[in-house]
Amino acid sequence: MKVESLDKAIEKFWAVEEFTEILPRSQEEEDCETHFMNTVKRDNTGRYIVRYPKRMNFNNMIGESKQTTIRRFQQTERRLERDSNLRSQYSAFMKEYIELVHMKCVGEANDPRLDEGKTVCYLPHHPVFKESSSTTKIRVVFDGSAKTSTNYSLNQALLTG
Protein backbone atom coordinates (compact mmCIF):
# COMPACT_ATOMS: atom_id res chain seq x y z
CA MET A 1 0.00 0.00 0.00
CA LYS A 2 2.77 2.48 0.87
CA VAL A 3 4.72 1.61 -2.30
CA GLU A 4 1.66 2.40 -4.40
CA SER A 5 1.15 5.80 -2.74
CA LEU A 6 4.86 6.55 -3.14
CA ASP A 7 4.62 5.67 -6.84
CA LYS A 8 1.64 8.02 -7.20
CA ALA A 9 3.49 10.80 -5.37
CA ILE A 10 6.50 10.46 -7.67
CA GLU A 11 4.25 10.36 -10.71
CA LYS A 12 2.49 13.50 -9.49
CA PHE A 13 5.87 15.23 -8.89
CA TRP A 14 7.06 14.53 -12.42
CA ALA A 15 3.74 15.66 -13.88
CA VAL A 16 4.15 19.02 -12.13
CA GLU A 17 7.80 19.31 -13.15
CA GLU A 18 7.13 18.30 -16.73
CA PHE A 19 8.30 20.76 -19.36
CA THR A 20 5.40 22.28 -21.24
CA GLU A 21 5.50 23.41 -24.82
CA ILE A 22 6.42 27.07 -25.33
CA LEU A 23 3.70 28.86 -27.21
CA PRO A 24 4.70 30.80 -30.32
CA ARG A 25 5.10 34.56 -29.87
CA SER A 26 2.67 37.07 -31.28
CA GLN A 27 3.81 39.49 -33.98
CA GLU A 28 3.84 42.26 -31.37
CA GLU A 29 6.13 40.22 -29.11
CA GLU A 30 8.42 39.50 -32.07
CA ASP A 31 8.49 43.21 -32.97
CA CYS A 32 9.34 44.11 -29.38
CA GLU A 33 12.15 41.54 -29.28
CA THR A 34 13.55 42.84 -32.58
CA HIS A 35 13.36 46.41 -31.29
CA PHE A 36 15.25 45.41 -28.15
CA MET A 37 17.96 43.58 -30.07
CA ASN A 38 18.42 46.54 -32.45
CA THR A 39 18.49 49.30 -29.84
CA VAL A 40 20.10 47.92 -26.69
CA LYS A 41 23.54 49.31 -25.91
CA ARG A 42 25.75 50.06 -22.93
CA ASP A 43 27.19 53.41 -22.03
CA ASN A 44 30.71 53.96 -20.70
CA THR A 45 29.52 53.32 -17.11
CA GLY A 46 28.12 49.89 -18.02
CA ARG A 47 24.49 51.03 -17.84
CA TYR A 48 22.15 49.43 -20.36
CA ILE A 49 20.21 51.82 -22.57
CA VAL A 50 17.14 50.75 -24.55
CA ARG A 51 14.83 53.01 -26.49
CA TYR A 52 11.11 52.80 -25.79
CA PRO A 53 9.43 50.16 -27.99
CA LYS A 54 6.87 52.42 -29.65
CA ARG A 55 3.89 51.12 -31.58
CA MET A 56 3.71 52.03 -35.26
CA ASN A 57 1.11 54.78 -34.64
CA PHE A 58 2.73 56.05 -31.42
CA ASN A 59 2.71 59.72 -32.49
CA ASN A 60 -1.04 59.56 -33.19
CA MET A 61 -1.81 57.74 -29.95
CA ILE A 62 -0.02 60.14 -27.59
CA GLY A 63 -2.02 63.30 -27.09
CA GLU A 64 -1.61 66.25 -24.77
CA SER A 65 -0.63 65.23 -21.24
CA LYS A 66 1.01 68.28 -19.72
CA GLN A 67 -2.09 69.92 -18.20
CA THR A 68 -3.29 66.74 -16.48
CA THR A 69 0.21 66.09 -15.15
CA ILE A 70 0.54 69.65 -13.84
CA ARG A 71 -2.86 69.42 -12.14
CA ARG A 72 -1.91 66.13 -10.48
CA PHE A 73 1.45 67.55 -9.42
CA GLN A 74 -0.31 70.52 -7.81
CA GLN A 75 -2.40 68.04 -5.80
CA THR A 76 0.81 66.31 -4.73
CA GLU A 77 2.34 69.66 -3.74
CA ARG A 78 -0.65 70.45 -1.52
CA ARG A 79 -0.21 67.08 0.17
CA LEU A 80 3.52 67.71 0.63
CA GLU A 81 2.84 71.15 2.18
CA ARG A 82 0.94 69.39 4.97
CA ASP A 83 3.75 66.88 5.71
CA SER A 84 7.30 68.28 5.85
CA ASN A 85 8.86 64.84 6.44
CA LEU A 86 7.19 63.43 3.33
CA ARG A 87 8.19 66.55 1.38
CA SER A 88 11.88 66.24 2.27
CA GLN A 89 11.96 62.52 1.44
CA TYR A 90 10.10 63.09 -1.84
CA SER A 91 12.50 65.89 -2.79
CA ALA A 92 15.50 63.67 -1.95
CA PHE A 93 14.09 60.90 -4.13
CA MET A 94 13.57 63.28 -7.06
CA LYS A 95 17.06 64.73 -6.64
CA GLU A 96 18.50 61.20 -6.70
CA TYR A 97 16.56 60.42 -9.90
CA ILE A 98 18.04 63.52 -11.52
CA GLU A 99 21.57 62.62 -10.35
CA LEU A 100 21.16 59.07 -11.69
CA VAL A 101 19.94 60.56 -15.01
CA HIS A 102 16.67 58.64 -14.75
CA MET A 103 14.88 61.93 -15.43
CA LYS A 104 15.68 65.54 -16.20
CA CYS A 105 14.17 68.91 -15.49
CA VAL A 106 12.17 70.25 -18.40
CA GLY A 107 12.36 73.92 -17.46
CA GLU A 108 9.43 76.22 -16.97
CA ALA A 109 6.14 74.35 -17.01
CA ASN A 110 4.53 76.94 -19.28
CA ASP A 111 7.36 77.18 -21.84
CA PRO A 112 5.74 76.16 -25.18
CA ARG A 113 9.16 75.61 -26.82
CA LEU A 114 9.59 72.41 -24.81
CA ASP A 115 7.06 70.52 -26.93
CA GLU A 116 7.82 72.01 -30.35
CA GLY A 117 8.04 69.32 -33.03
CA LYS A 118 8.20 66.47 -30.52
CA THR A 119 5.79 63.84 -29.31
CA VAL A 120 5.99 64.37 -25.58
CA CYS A 121 4.25 62.48 -22.81
CA TYR A 122 4.45 63.86 -19.29
CA LEU A 123 4.03 61.25 -16.56
CA PRO A 124 2.11 62.11 -13.41
CA HIS A 125 3.77 60.85 -10.24
CA HIS A 126 3.13 60.80 -6.53
CA PRO A 127 4.82 59.52 -3.38
CA VAL A 128 3.78 56.41 -1.51
CA PHE A 129 4.92 56.51 2.08
CA LYS A 130 5.21 53.27 4.07
CA GLU A 131 6.26 53.86 7.67
CA SER A 132 6.57 50.12 8.40
CA SER A 133 9.17 49.55 5.67
CA SER A 134 12.60 48.73 7.06
CA THR A 135 14.44 49.79 3.89
CA THR A 136 12.77 52.50 1.86
CA LYS A 137 10.08 54.54 3.58
CA ILE A 138 9.08 56.32 0.38
CA ARG A 139 8.75 55.33 -3.22
CA VAL A 140 7.52 57.40 -6.10
CA VAL A 141 4.92 55.92 -8.41
CA PHE A 142 4.91 57.08 -12.04
CA ASP A 143 1.52 56.66 -13.71
CA GLY A 144 2.12 55.30 -17.22
CA SER A 145 -1.60 54.44 -17.39
CA ALA A 146 -2.70 58.10 -17.21
CA LYS A 147 -4.75 58.90 -20.31
CA THR A 148 -3.69 61.67 -22.67
CA SER A 149 -6.11 63.87 -24.63
CA THR A 150 -6.51 61.10 -27.25
CA ASN A 151 -7.71 58.74 -24.52
CA TYR A 152 -4.57 56.59 -24.88
CA SER A 153 -1.89 56.27 -22.20
CA LEU A 154 1.85 55.89 -22.63
CA ASN A 155 1.52 52.22 -21.62
CA GLN A 156 -1.00 51.65 -24.42
CA ALA A 157 1.22 53.39 -27.00
CA LEU A 158 4.23 51.17 -26.23
CA LEU A 159 4.77 47.55 -27.26
CA THR A 160 4.73 44.95 -24.52
CA GLY A 161 6.90 41.91 -24.51
Side-chain angles (χ1 to χ4, degrees):
M1 197 107 141
K2 288 186 178 184
V3 173
E4 186 178 320
S5 62
L6 179 60
D7 286 341
K8 286 187 182 204
I10 291 173
E11 186 178 323
K12 195 179 206 180
F13 170 79
W14 285 112
V16 170
E17 294 296 315
E18 190 173 299
F19 182 74
T20 57
E21 182 181 337
I22 297 174
L23 298 174
R25 292 185 195 168
S26 69
Q27 185 60 50
E28 184 175 293
E29 290 170 324
E30 290 292 337
D31 292 346
C32 193
E33 175 78 15
T34 300
H35 170 81
F36 175 79
M37 297 305 288
N38 290 336
T39 63
V40 68
K41 58 184 170 185
R42 291 183 91 166
D43 67 11
N44 57 357
T45 67
R47 178 184 292 180
Y48 285 97
I49 301 170
V50 182
R51 294 175 55 193
Y52 282 120
K54 299 175 184 176
R55 292 185 187 276
M56 293 292 276
N57 55 348
F58 178 86
N59 291 343
N60 295 326
M61 293 177 81
I62 294 297
E64 201 283 325
S65 59
K66 184 187 276 187
Q67 293 309 313
T68 300
T69 303
I70 289 171
R71 188 173 57 254
R72 288 190 40 194
F73 181 68
Q74 289 168 340
Q75 292 170 340
T76 298
E77 279 191 318
R78 285 191 291 275
R79 179 179 171 203
L80 295 174
E81 285 173 3
R82 294 188 302 267
D83 188 339
S84 61
N85 181 38
L86 181 59
R87 182 182 190 93
S88 66
Q89 289 186 47
Y90 186 73
S91 296
F93 179 92
M94 290 303 195
K95 183 178 178 185
E96 180 183 14
Y97 253 49
I98 290 170
E99 289 169 356
L100 292 170
V101 196
H102 292 328
M103 69 179 189
K104 63 181 177 179
C105 292
V106 292
E108 289 297 314
N110 296 322
D111 186 348
R113 295 172 296 165
L114 292 173
D115 300 346
E116 266 181 33
K118 298 178 186 174
T119 300
V120 177
C121 186
Y122 294 89
L123 283 179
H125 51 82
H126 64 277
V128 175
F129 191 70
K130 189 172 182 181
E131 188 68 50
S132 63
S133 176
S134 61
T135 54
T136 307
K137 301 281 184 203
I138 188 174
R139 65 186 170 88
V140 176
V141 177
F142 293 86
D143 187 1
S145 295
K147 301 285 187 187
T148 66
S149 62
T150 58
N151 209 30
Y152 287 102
S153 68
L154 178 62
N155 287 353
Q156 291 172 310
L158 297 175
L159 295 171
T160 56

